[in-house]
Amino acid sequence: MIKPAKRTEEIELSLIRKMFEVTNPDAINLGIGEPDFNVPENIKNAMIESIKENDTHYTPNKGILELREEIAKKFKIDNGIETDPENIIVTIGASEGLYASTQAFIEKGDEVLLPNPSFLLYEACIKLAGGTITPVDCKMENEFKLKAEDVEEKINENTKAIILNSPSNPTGAVMEKEDIKAIADLSMDKNFLIISDEIYEKIIYDKKHYSPGKWSDNVVTLNGFSKTYAMTGLRIGYLTANDEICEELFKVHQNNVACSTNTSQRGALEALRGPQEEANKMIAEFKRRRDLIVKRLNDMGYETVKAEGAFYVFPKIEDEEFVPKAAEAGVITVPGEAFGSNGKGHVRMSYANSYENIKKAMDILEEKL
Ligand code: PMP
């Protein structure tokens, strides 16, 4: 056996995948982390056309200029971020943006503030970069929303960065504007980097999304096409940051992947320029399912926050055997502790499954657990 590097040896494989391995094939899967919708037709056609035209070569490292121009417009309109195509990098999903951000800015001795619970990739990327994690609690009493005062308490001279994720995976929590602004101000006062993962920006209900990049210059804003346009397998995302930060990110990106997939970039261009009806329909359907699942869980006595975004709920379920028992009965869920110690006593349920299946899954839980 060849000895792996310490930084990879320390990382564990995802508990989510493990869950999928152990269950029966007929089970209803509420463990899913991607939309159960398909890529809209206009986006598919744009990609097919581009392939037929042999537009299948390397693109500029930062991405096709036209696409970066559209992304710059989007940042201005949706996020109040003034940026420039030169300060935008089209990435292999938000995942690559996250990897580039941590590789470019985190090293041994750096502390990274990390909401607990949070998305699995964050911990892995921080560790791969050699950094240390300082958890910041997202409390159920605050509907799992990260609060600026809890962040401020954890800042010290080694604090190098914070990762924000609103709307959140795994809780669906949407941060309040004043907390985002306060953390943005802190990042300027105390000189640390905000890595803001805004991948669920559009999957939000009766609430407005705010970007810290509107108020602070020390921000990498990460986003992508996986969720809003159901383009997960096409692996396409983007980021923006100021000149100095972007230059460092670009070094990692250029030497790691050269450029994002040409075909996916063509699809992404159509996604931004074309009609938004499919995306809007999907979001409306997610809201309908959210209302159903939250009501059913609360009616069963599993205390559940009516999450304002993403497609997850995070009910309080203290029975440690719940996840395997539910899987046995035919409903796959994910143990909350997969997302950090504060996830203990909770279960993540995704409603990226049909309304009917969610209903059936809730009936099964009601009857059998
Ligand atoms: N961030 C979060 C919070 C996610 O949930 C996911 C996907 N599960 C990603 C990033 C990865 O997105 P992408 O497909 O753009 O790499």
Side-chain angles (χ1 to χ4, degrees):
M1 158 90 184
I2 312 250
K3 191 173 169 9
K6 198 163 178 300
R7 61 178 177 275
T8 35
E9 207 171 27
E10 275 179 6
I11 291 169
E12 283 182 33
L13 286 172
S14 161
L15 268 179
I16 301 181
R17 296 265 163 251
K18 275 187 209 155
M19 271 318 301
F20 294 166
E21 282 161 18
V22 294
T23 45
N24 72 60
D26 300 326
I28 297 171
N29 195 342
L30 303 186
I32 301 171
E34 64 171 325
D36 56 312
F37 295 86
N38 292 319
V39 176
E41 286 302 315
N42 61 314
I43 299 176
K44 283 193 222 170
N45 290 336
M47 291 191 288
I48 292 165
E49 282 310 310
S50 75
I51 292 174
K52 284 189 184 156
E53 287 163 12
N54 291 314
D55 191 3
T56 49
H57 299 268
Y58 288 130
T59 74
N61 293 129
K62 284 183 184 170
I64 296 167
L65 180 60
E66 272 175 294
L67 174 58
R68 284 183 287 130
E69 284 169 349
E70 284 302 321
I71 294 169
K73 274 191 227 160
K74 184 249 167 254
F75 272 128
K76 188 169 176 179
I77 296 167
D78 290 352
N79 309 98
I81 298 174
E82 294 283 347
T83 186
D84 187 83
E86 274 313 297
N87 286 356
I88 287 166
I89 303 175
V90 180
T91 56
I92 312 277
S95 305
E96 194 234 325
L98 178 68
Y99 182 76
S101 305
T102 43
Q103 287 296 311
F105 287 96
I106 309 302
E107 61 191 340
K108 201 163 189 281
D110 289 339
E111 287 185 24
V112 182
L113 303 176
L114 187 66
N116 180 354
S118 62
F119 177 48
L120 298 157
L121 238 62
Y122 302 148
E123 181 180 338
C125 280
I126 296 165
K127 284 187 179 166
L128 278 174
T132 309
I133 292 163
T134 307
V136 188
D137 294 343
C138 297
K139 302 169 189 139
M140 193 175 191
E141 73 211 49
N142 295 330
E143 299 181 334
F144 301 111
K145 296 174 190 204
L146 185 69
K147 304 308 278 178
E149 59 268 26
D150 293 332
V151 170
E152 188 165 12
E153 227 174 62
K154 296 286 176 88
I155 296 171
N156 65 37
E157 66 281 7
N158 297 322
T159 304
K160 182 68 176 284
I162 183 167
I163 299 183
L164 298 184
N165 176 220
S166 177
S168 152
N169 176 5
T171 64
V174 176
M175 286 177 68
E176 296 300 327
K177 179 184 178 185
E178 60 265 26
D179 289 305
I180 294 180
K181 184 167 187 313
I183 295 168
D185 291 344
L186 280 171
S187 76
M188 294 297 275
D189 293 347
K190 311 263 180 178
N191 199 36
F192 61 84
L193 182 70
I194 298 177
I195 300 168
S196 181
D197 177 351
E198 303 182 15
I199 191 99
Y200 292 102
E201 166 188 25
K202 299 278 181 184
I203 303 177
I204 193 164
Y205 320 112
D206 311 320
K207 188 98 182 159
K208 191 168 162 25
H209 168 80
Y210 290 95
S211 298
K214 182 180 161 91
W215 296 292
S216 166
D217 210 27
N218 291 344
V219 182
V220 183
T221 308
L222 304 177
N223 212 323
F225 296 86
S226 285
K227 313 290 169 173
T228 315
Y229 301 100
M231 288 170 70
T232 46
L234 293 159
R235 312 303 307 120
I236 178 124
Y238 53 93
L239 61 80
T240 193
N242 73 21
D243 293 348
E244 292 89 39
I245 294 174
C246 200
E247 191 174 320
E248 302 308 310
L249 299 172
F250 189 40
K251 290 180 196 169
V252 182
H253 171 79
Q254 190 177 52
N255 290 300
N256 185 22
V257 299
C259 68
S260 178
T261 316
N262 192 342
T263 310
S264 302
Q265 291 189 58
R266 288 290 162 193
L269 184 60
E270 175 60 25
L272 291 179
R273 281 187 178 165
Q276 302 297 309
E277 274 96 62
E278 288 302 310
N280 292 338
K281 263 197 258 165
M282 178 181 78
I283 295 158
E285 175 59 17
F286 277 139
K287 185 179 177 197
R288 196 167 84 96
R289 296 175 191 173
R290 188 270 319 248
D291 292 348
L292 169 73
I293 198 167
V294 169
K295 181 171 188 317
R296 290 292 306 266
L297 288 167
N298 277 320
D299 287 350
M300 279 184 248
Y302 299 125
E303 195 188 333
T304 308
V305 173
K306 195 170 180 185
E308 293 161 314
F311 37 70
Y312 309 104
V313 284
F314 208 60
K316 186 171 180 179
I317 299 180
E318 280 163 327
D319 175 1
E320 288 188 3
E321 289 303 304
F322 178 90
V323 172
K325 280 195 289 195
E328 182 84 353
V331 182
I332 301 176
T333 58
V334 181
E337 60 189 303
F339 305 94
S341 55
N342 282 347
K344 200 168 160 50
H346 294 268
V347 172
R348 189 190 77 171
M349 296 183 194
S350 154
Y351 45 94
N353 206 322
S354 70
Y355 195 87
E356 288 63 39
N357 276 347
I358 294 168
K359 239 186 198 163
K360 270 191 226 157
M362 293 302 114
D363 290 344
I364 293 172
L365 296 182
E366 196 163 59
E367 268 170 42
K368 304 222 169 127
L369 271 97

